[in-house]
Amino acid sequence: MTMSAGWYLRRLSRMGPREVVGRAGDAVRRRRWRSAPPDCPSVTGARFTAVLPAGTIAAIPPDAAKRLIAEADRLMDGHAEYFGVVRDDLTDPDWWCDPKTGRQAPSGYAFDVPYRNEDAVGDIKQIWEPSRHQYLTVLAAAYAITGNERYAERVAEHLRSWWAANPPLRGVHWISGIELGIRLLSWVWIRRLLDGWPGAADLFEDNPVALNQIWHHQRWLAAFPSRGSSANNHVIAEAAGQFAGACAFGWFPSSARWRAGALRSLERHLRNNTFDSGLNRELATEYHGLVLELGLAAVAEADAADVPVPASIRLVLLRMTDALAAIVDSRLRPPRQGDADDGHGLVVDGAGTDRWASLLATGDAVFGRLDWWPAVTGTDVRTPLLAALIRPYSDKGTAPAVTRPAGRPAHFADAGLTILRGPGEIWCRCDGGPHGFLSIAAHAHADALSVEVRHDGVDVLADPGTFCYHGQPEWRQYFRSTLGHNTLRLDGSDQSVSGGPFLWTRQARTRVLTADPSGAFDGGTARWCAEHDGYQRSVHRRRVELTAASQELRVLDEVHGPGRAVQLAFHLGPAIAADLADHGAVLTWTRDGEDRSAVLDLPGQLSWRAHRGESDPPLGWYSAGFGRKEPTTTLVGTGFADGAEGFTTVLRFRG
């Protein structure tokens, strides 16, 4: 995808004067570094001291260790999967090749590489992901657990290969700050987990090539932070990675300055990126997880190095953890809201480890669980590693007094997110929040007033997900579109106007009118109502009611304004089979060997049709993870809204 001149103008229009000046300074610096790249100062006597406390590895649960070692052995055999692409070349990876398209990224000065152009570079996510070196943290953890040196030797071989193939400022791996930040954090943990290996010092602190790479990563991150309208999860990864590097690899004359600057940035942007309720302002749930992982990893480095951390950082992470505990369903799955690209801050676990259970387990170890938190029964490797380094929240004399929720929150007013819960593990997310974060709302979808409904953790009315970012504009557009969500579209237009794959030029404004999520708990009815102005001449208002006694979810859509052509979409989860007849559908699925069912009564004023796996244009798809999609059933009703009456949809669960 090559960005047009029009895109650059639209992007510029979303920047403030300060951001424009900052980006102009970045451009000058890039030109200067092209002709005179900075040199790494000489380092003598460097030693790595940020080691794990004694007994940490022994505290790893045996089943979590078993999963990790199985994953490490798969990696040793060269097998991996990134974004739906299965690879068998990881014994000797080509760091610049995209296995999906077969294209080789061009070499040369990093800032000249057209990384958004798939025809020239390939799928940049496929190229970048292995070079985050999170598969190497898995191998290093396998060494720490088993003492088997073949894991450590493979890590060393791949790091030396990467460093040789990617000298500073050359090629695609020196373009994006989030990649440098996460990679630097991985290197810190690789060094820590390899500490018992005799070759660890020769690989890192006694290796001029490694020192040069570490120094240049930190120098780059200090010089080119994400700015202004781009200061979302990227800037958190940049600050966390640089802070971790400056704490654990504090061997350079600039280390103290880099550490202080990164800590200031981390503190400011963690606050800016997080609502007071604890939810991430991007309203993209996977980025809530990413930011929480990065924040916890940064605090671990601070405590390992005995670097004081502002109390506000721990407070934000505490609130984020409580918010996560509040919004997950009965199977510990959070909402599928906004963009998701399977990004992780720190990976030291094998396949089958539940990311969200792991975060809640770490939250329990660091902050202490509340009585209303859901039970976490799974195990992981990362929690005992982080908990060994992070001092418990109660131990910090500078920790502010904070009143944590006495009961499970269900309405997050600042984020506009409301969870309705009912009997039979009915879970319903109602979206009445801001369109997204910052002026470009990069990771937002045009999903105002959408609902997401699950029964015992199974997607019934599903959020279809994300699927892709670059290279497939028609699919990127579909998965972000209003039609791609469980809400109403007027005149074939999205509620918010896209100006590019990570840019919205007009954003719908939403307000919640009613939020009473507690009614269903006492056998009554939980209620929610909100509206948005995204269609300019008309207002879309939606009411949702969940009645406990009848296990019934009722959705009423109203259009206030001139008559408009209507499309009302309901996307069913991939496990749901649907039998559509006239204005109703019988939904069936299986959960834990038991047959389940529900009846969906659809508005009679609309003409209904089932769509499944259509590509021209896309409709009827579900993306379980980045780069993966599968056909699913989408029910679309078409008709006309004249303002005389609303459209009522009723979902009744049986049994």
Side-chain angles (χ1 to χ4, degrees), residues 34 71 125-126 138 172 215 217 261 277 337 348 362 499-500 594 633 641 644:
R34 177 202 298 273
E71 180 72 9
K125 290 281 288 178
Q126 290 288 343
V138 170
V172 293
W215 184 85
H217 271 66
S277 65
Q337 182 178 17
V348 286
T362 304
E594 180 182 343
T633 300

Side-chain angles (χ1 to χ4, degrees), residues 275-279 323 326-327 405 407-421 428-434 510-518 521 526-530:
F275 288 112
D276 289 343
S277 65
L279 290 179
I327 63 177
R408 190 175 199 171
H411 176 58
F412 297 80
D414 48 9
L417 185 146
T418 304
I419 305 292
L420 309 182
R421 298 178 190 268
C428 173
R429 172 180 66 88
C430 302
D431 182 359
T510 306
R511 63 173 183 150
V512 175
L513 305 175
T514 302
D516 181 15
S518 62
F521 289 108
R527 293 180 172 86
W528 175 86
C529 179

